[in-house]
Amino acid sequence: MSKLWGGRFTKTAEEWVDEFGASIGFDQLLVEEDIEGSIAHVKMLAKCGIVSEEEALQIQNGLQTLLKKAKNGELEYSVQNEDIHLNIEKFLIDEIGPVGGKLHTGRSRNDQVATDMHLYLRKQIDEISKEIKQLQTALVTQAKAHVETIVPGYTHLQRAQPVSFAHHLLAYFWMLERDFSRYQDGLKRVNISPLGAGALAGTTFPIDRHYSAELLGFDRIYENSLDAVSDRDFILEFLSTSATLMMHLSRLCEEIILWSSQEFRFIELDDTFATGSSIMPQKKNPDMAELIRGKTGRVYGSLFSLLTILKGLPLAYNKDMQEDKEGMFDAVTTVKGSLKIFTGMIESMTVNTDVMKQAVHSDFSNATELADYLASKGMPFREAHEVVGKLVLQCIQQGVFLLGLPFSQYKEASELFEEDIFEVLDPKTVVARRNSAGGTGFDQVRLALEKAETLL
């Protein structure tokens, strides 16, 4: 079977060469976008008098038939037709006859594939954005139930200061809100039409690129035909945002893995999101969290791969750019799957409040409160820091925590200590008093929840 572009050639490639060069194995995912773009293109051709209204109607009807078959899984793609564009064109000609060949007037596969990917990413960003909001909703729901649940806060993975568990969860809400914002901002670059830019130089036909862009819901067109067919910044931006999102998910995965361990026991994951061991019957492994943590590397890889592909390419289109799609498709699948799994994990996890309470009563995470107490009574903070450090050392030597140290030893350390020091050291008081804007104080957390729910 001769290629649709084969008029200039006297030889045909061997089958294995065709297979190496073909992209139909993965770009068939763009079938709906390809047909959508083609329908807009032929409508524009008719409006501009480049094809007749009758021919345009024939082509549109043929494309609608192919779209229905595609959705029903009835199209059998051929490697010999290389990519989704030539496969659809061949199907169309088989469906309606030679008039189907007029569809390609005034365009190239170069602007066609770029159009497909713009349409594809626009749709996927919308779906990912909805999944982000679902996860944020799950975080807010858990946070509302645990405003006054206190958990150790950490720096360097060492106990630092007690915080509201809701405050900790809402930190990830705000990370996700930035991710959501980045995706929405990226749509400004995604929602531009390259259709009609041709192979690289435009076309001699009197086309109306603004009309086809309007039909496809694009905000504007690329102003330069070379840029239109060679730009993949919008995919890089999508991958960069996705890599940042996955990094945020991976950080929470790490915490979930720690929190569900026997050493922490702060939470327990629902059985749906854990697995057992083939040899150790007691095990309950946080496999879904571990998988998301691991899959983060796939998205990083897709970003770095495309950056590497593009870095040395002269204008305009080069076959290297066929390698832009698989990483993009994989990132979409990974991000959507990870968000969906995460939402379920957060919604269904059990929070062991009693274990958290015991933890904050069995550490020195309230030590900063002592230093602040002395500083509020006029002692320079650096001096107060040293006094409290020595008190902590005494506790370690005596095998007690700050709440278990006799008041007499506080008085020996500084005359500024009063009997109210034990109330000040209570973890609930420690958290409640941190009422600066954005802090972990319960009033601030409730205010943050109100803001979060407004955003949702």
Side-chain angles (χ1 to χ4, degrees):
M1 182 172 65
S2 63
K3 305 276 190 182
L4 290 179
W5 46 258
R8 177 248 187 272
F9 288 77
T10 58
K11 290 183 179 181
T12 57
E14 292 186 41
E15 186 177 342
W16 68 270
V17 176
D18 278 342
E19 288 175 356
F20 183 80
S23 60
I24 190 59
F26 49 86
D27 70 10
Q28 59 186 268
L29 289 174
L30 297 171
V31 60
E32 292 185 26
E33 288 77 16
D34 198 71
I35 294 173
E36 182 184 352
S38 292
I39 290 172
H41 182 67
V42 76
K43 284 181 178 179
M44 180 274 295
L45 292 177
K47 174 182 178 289
C48 296
I50 298 168
V51 299
S52 70
E53 290 289 347
E54 183 182 350
E55 290 170 329
L57 188 59
Q58 262 187 287
I59 292 170
Q60 285 179 63
N61 288 339
L63 288 169
Q64 291 290 357
T65 299
L66 294 181
L67 182 59
K68 185 177 179 180
K69 287 183 177 180
K71 289 180 177 179
N72 293 334
E74 297 172 6
L75 296 180
E76 293 186 13
Y77 303 105
S78 165
V79 167
Q80 189 149 20
N81 287 324
E82 299 179 19
D83 55 36
I84 190 60
H85 324 298
L86 292 186
N87 269 271
I88 292 298
E89 188 172 346
K90 179 67 167 59
F91 290 144
L92 183 64
I93 292 169
D94 290 345
E95 186 75 31
I96 65 173
V99 69
K102 291 193 173 186
L103 172 61
H104 206 55
T105 307
R107 73 175 182 183
S108 160
R109 283 186 293 172
N110 294 358
D111 61 327
Q112 192 178 354
V113 68
T115 301
D116 290 0
M117 289 190 291
H118 279 273
L119 291 171
Y120 173 83
L121 271 190
R122 185 174 68 186
K123 182 192 302 180
Q124 297 304 324
I125 288 173
D126 182 56
E127 292 182 10
I128 288 169
S129 297
K130 289 175 183 175
E131 292 289 350
I132 290 173
K133 288 300 172 185
Q134 289 296 318
L135 177 52
Q136 287 181 297
T137 300
L139 287 166
V140 165
T141 301
Q142 279 284 13
K144 285 172 73 175
H146 293 288
V147 172
E148 296 196 17
T149 298
I150 303 172
V151 68
Y154 295 81
T155 61
H156 308 276
L157 207 55
Q158 303 293 316
R159 299 274 180 94
Q161 292 176 294
V163 297
S164 159
F165 187 52
H167 189 61
H168 195 121
L169 292 176
L170 287 176
Y172 287 98
F173 175 94
W174 295 109
M175 292 181 210
L176 289 166
E177 187 61 26
R178 292 194 297 275
D179 295 326
F180 177 84
S181 176
R182 275 186 280 266
Y183 278 120
Q184 295 306 302
D185 189 65
L187 282 172
K188 297 174 188 174
R189 268 75 66 189
V190 170
N191 212 29
I192 310 174
S193 175
L195 189 58
L200 76 162
T203 178
T204 58
F205 290 97
I207 63 172
D208 185 344
R209 291 186 60 208
H210 293 280
Y211 181 68
S212 58
E214 182 184 337
L215 290 176
L216 291 170
F218 286 120
D219 295 330
R220 54 196 173 92
I221 66 169
Y222 278 89
E223 298 296 338
N224 182 288
S225 60
L226 282 165
D227 184 39
V229 297
S230 61
D231 173 36
R232 294 298 182 268
D233 294 1
F234 66 102
I235 304 179
L236 285 172
E237 192 170 1
F238 167 78
L239 291 173
S240 175
T241 297
S242 297
T244 303
L245 167 66
M246 290 300 294
M247 176 269 292
H248 289 150
L249 296 185
S250 186
R251 294 183 74 177
L252 184 49
C253 282
E254 178 68 11
E255 298 206 291
I256 284 174
I257 291 162
L258 289 171
W259 291 344
S260 61
S261 69
Q262 190 66 28
E263 285 68 26
F264 281 77
R265 295 187 297 115
F266 288 171
I267 65 163
E268 182 176 353
L269 293 175
D270 188 83
D271 288 354
T272 308
F273 302 100
T275 64
S277 164
S278 62
I279 190 172
M280 295 167 284
Q282 83 281 8
K283 295 292 293 298
K284 183 174 181 180
N285 301 324
D287 276 16
M288 296 304 107
E290 291 171 351
L291 272 173
I292 293 170
R293 186 177 61 181
K295 286 177 180 291
T296 299
R298 295 174 68 111
V299 180
Y300 289 4
S302 295
L303 171 61
F304 191 72
S305 174
L306 186 55
L307 283 167
T308 306
I309 289 164
L310 294 172
K311 74 175 184 66
L313 293 188
L315 297 179
Y317 184 83
N318 298 270
K319 190 69 168 180
D320 315 47
M321 294 166 76
Q322 181 170 291
E323 295 297 309
D324 59 2
K325 297 171 195 63
E326 287 183 281
M328 176 182 72
F329 294 147
D330 188 72
V332 165
T333 301
T334 300
V335 167
K336 287 165 71 174
S338 297
L339 286 167
K340 196 172 187 66
I341 288 285
F342 228 121
T343 298
M345 277 199 302
I346 295 297
E347 284 176 341
S348 61
M349 74 179 184
T350 300
V351 179
N352 297 326
T353 55
D354 55 334
V355 177
M356 291 180 174
K357 183 177 181 180
Q358 182 183 358
V360 294
H361 280 83
S362 304
D363 64 16
F364 295 102
S365 60
N366 51 0
T368 305
E369 212 64 21
L370 278 183
D372 288 349
Y373 178 91
L374 293 172
S376 70
K377 290 181 177 289
M379 183 182 289
F381 184 81
R382 281 297 159 216
E383 186 180 333
H385 189 286
E386 183 176 358
V387 168
V388 175
K390 290 178 178 177
L391 283 170
V392 169
L393 180 59
Q394 289 177 38
C395 287
I396 293 170
Q397 291 169 342
Q398 295 171 36
V400 297
F401 296 102
L402 289 168
L403 279 168
L405 201 65
F407 181 65
S408 59
Q409 287 185 245
Y410 281 103
K411 271 298 189 184
E412 286 175 18
S414 172
E415 286 296 323
L416 295 176
F417 284 119
E418 303 291 342
E419 292 281 356
D420 64 347
I421 192 59
F422 293 104
E423 182 184 347
V424 170
L425 285 172
D426 182 86
K428 195 163 186 177
T429 306
V430 172
V431 175
R433 292 180 67 230
R434 285 185 145 61
N435 211 31
S436 57
T440 191
F442 302 133
D443 290 342
Q444 284 296 319
V445 172
R446 290 188 179 96
L447 181 61
L449 277 167
E450 288 177 16
K451 292 179 180 177
E453 289 187 301
T454 299
L455 285 169
L456 290 173

